[in-house]
Amino acid sequence: MSSSLSEKIFRTILGAFGVFIVLLMFSVAIFLTVGAWPVIRHGLSDFVQTQTWNPVNGQFGALAVLFGTLVSSSIAIAIAAPLGVGAAIFLKELAPARVASVFSFLIEMLAAVPSVIFGLWGFFVLAPAIRDHVAPIFYPLGEYVPIFRGPSYGVGILTAGVVLALMILPTMAAIVREIFSAVPQHQREAALGLGSTRWEAVRVAVLAPSKPGILSAAVLATARALGETMAVTMVIGNRNAVSLSLFDPGQSMASLIANEYAEASDSRHIAALMAVGLLLLVISLVVNAVARIIAKRSAAKWK
Amino acid sequence: MEIATKKLLLEFMVTTQAKRKRKNIFANLVLSILAILAVSPLVAILGFLISKGIGALSWEFLTSLPAPYGESGGGMGHSIVGTFILVLFASLLGIPVGFGAGIFLAESSKESRFASIVRLCAEMLAGVPSIVVGLFAYFVAVLPFGGFSAFAGGFALSVIMIPVIARTSEEILRLVPVHVREAGLALGLPRWQVVMRIVLRGSRKGLFTAVLLAVARASGETAPLLFTALNSRLWSFSATQPISSLPVQIYTYATSPSEEWHQQAWGGALLLVLLVLGMSLFARFLFSGKKYGT
């Protein structure tokens, strides 16, 4: 075989793998759209504004699950962002090398723990702890502040948010640490040289210029939280309703699909679940894209 | 930067040395507490898994079928075998395609438009929620074949594996120094032989790590299996029948009302974590330097 022919064959085969990846991504989007078509062909606005989800009567509205997903993910990032940034500062800037490597290792391992394990732990350990020890603290407040209203069953939006926070924490910490690593050493030294304390140097020379990067890390971590399924399914309480109280059970888009798909038999129900999946896919991809745009804008500053 | 520096200088002027030192100590304290909080969940989760799961682990647990509801004993042997079969199916499709795409990305020039589209699609694919992958696999591999099957579950897992392997292997192949490639080309080898014989062979440890990470990830996935492989209470070695897997079995047991089954769920969880973390640890041990030829 002549070398130019073999070269061509080689390139074609590699190119075919590339095409396969593109086709795979497109077919995910297309198949979901096709599956959801009976529900979304009348427009999405009704679908996302209706709260009722009643497969028996054939009523399908995604408002409650949209709400559950957004609230639980917001709680998650509200907890994971400060923890992740704080841990990253400590590991990258302050801790002795040996301590830092042990902590980084543990955080890396946390990232590898499967979702269902977080769910199991959340269901049997965290949920009872929130019901018995955390929620009672807020009961007096519940009379005035609707988000703390009512008794806690353990499982609920808040529990889901906390479990999600633990799951996205490694992502957050790892990306922020990378961002800090990109800050040139002389920036820190310049601040220290001016006579600043360690913390002042971190704040001025490391944190301030990393702000856009930290934002992009937070958005990326949120994207992970939005689509997380098993852990949320096990601890969110699985009730399709919009409720302001964080202690109330709720439902996320992913948990709704996980709960109902295997039992869904009539075609409209399946189509409605597909529509929820499509909505989730679109939201995840958009949030991921936003993170990438922020990251791209803030990158390559130090060159 | 200038504004921040001005702020800093201003702070030097208006606050006393002692106050700034106190602030420094306080910040250090808060940050170390945050770091400890960040690692404590892992310790807590592993602690509970070991304390609750170790009692359930036994020879019977590893080798036998579940006992009927209400009876004690029984095990998860069928789920362990099922997870292996599912991951095997996933690897059959996921590893070649993932590597193919990774090599394609590493070998194409940075300016190539098509390559950047492929890279973008691989990144998007990695961002697709796993439950959505499950829906997709249901449409592609369950509906047309008329039922839940191990084959459909393996397909769903392969969709999870492909972007992981593609992106990791591209990164690893890009670590190969240019002069190594050039040495091969200078010997008169065609490019495909340089890739197959020099680039891939020199990176085999790194590529093995990529596979290991993807397999670890796939073995812990639950959501894509819920309505593709479904679950089973029997031994199954068939590609066309529903099959059990550790994660789905843990989920099923954990959400059941039976105290006995909760025990089994903890045992299964401990086993799954040992498996997944073991693979991640091994991958880390094999390829820690992120350097070519290590």
Side-chain angles (χ1 to χ4, degrees), chain A residues 3 6-7 10-11 14-15 17-22 24-28 31-32 34-35 82-83 86-87 89-90 94 101 103 105-110 112-118 120-121 123-125 166 169 187 191 194-200 203-205 208 227 229-230 233-234 254 257-259 261-262 270 273-274 277 280-281 284-285 288 292, chain B residues 1 4-5 8-9 11-12 20-21 23-24 27-28 31-32 34-39 41-45 48-49 96-97 100-101 103-104 107 114 117-118 120-125 127-132 135-136 138-140 159 162 166 190-192 195-196 220 222-223 226-227 230 247 250-251 254-255 262 265-266 269 272-273 276-277 280-281 284:
Chain A
S3 75
S6 60
E7 189 74 33
F10 181 64
R11 279 178 179 277
L14 284 189
F17 282 119
V19 172
F20 186 90
I21 297 282
V22 177
L24 189 61
M25 184 59 229
F26 274 88
S27 49
V28 169
F31 272 103
L32 279 177
V34 170
L83 267 182
I89 298 176
F90 179 76
L94 305 172
S101 75
F103 273 50
F105 171 71
L106 290 176
I107 292 179
E108 209 176 294
M109 286 296 111
L110 186 65
V113 173
S115 175
V116 68
I117 307 290
F118 279 100
L120 188 73
W121 180 79
F123 185 68
F124 285 113
V125 182
L166 303 184
L169 178 64
Q187 296 280 341
L194 286 172
S196 64
T197 61
R198 221 27 200 283
W199 164 241
E200 283 162 349
R203 220 185 62 202
V204 175
T229 312
M230 286 329 288
T233 307
M234 293 169 83
I257 302 171
N259 272 314
Y261 211 89
I270 292 182
L273 290 171
M274 281 279 179
L280 178 60
L281 176 69
S284 304
L285 292 183
N288 267 312
R292 196 161 313 127
Chain B
M1 192 64 218
T5 319
L8 184 66
L9 287 174
E11 196 163 318
F12 285 178
R20 287 175 48 222
K21 271 195 179 148
K23 226 174 170 181
N24 185 43
N28 270 283
L31 291 168
S32 24
L34 287 179
I36 291 170
L37 278 178
V39 296
L42 179 75
V43 180
I45 291 173
F48 268 98
L49 277 183
V97 174
I103 298 170
F104 167 77
E107 289 302 310
F114 177 52
I117 293 173
V118 172
L120 180 69
C121 281
E123 270 172 36
M124 282 165 72
L125 213 50
V128 174
S130 58
I131 189 84
V132 174
L135 285 178
F136 170 66
Y138 176 82
F139 236 65
V140 178
V159 177
I162 286 169
R191 238 169 73 98
W192 69 276
V195 172
M196 299 306 283
T222 321
L226 286 176
F227 31 82
L230 208 70
I250 294 168
Y251 170 64
T255 48
H262 293 169
W266 283 106
L272 182 64
V273 161
V276 171
L277 290 194
S280 308
L281 271 177
R284 202 185 135 101

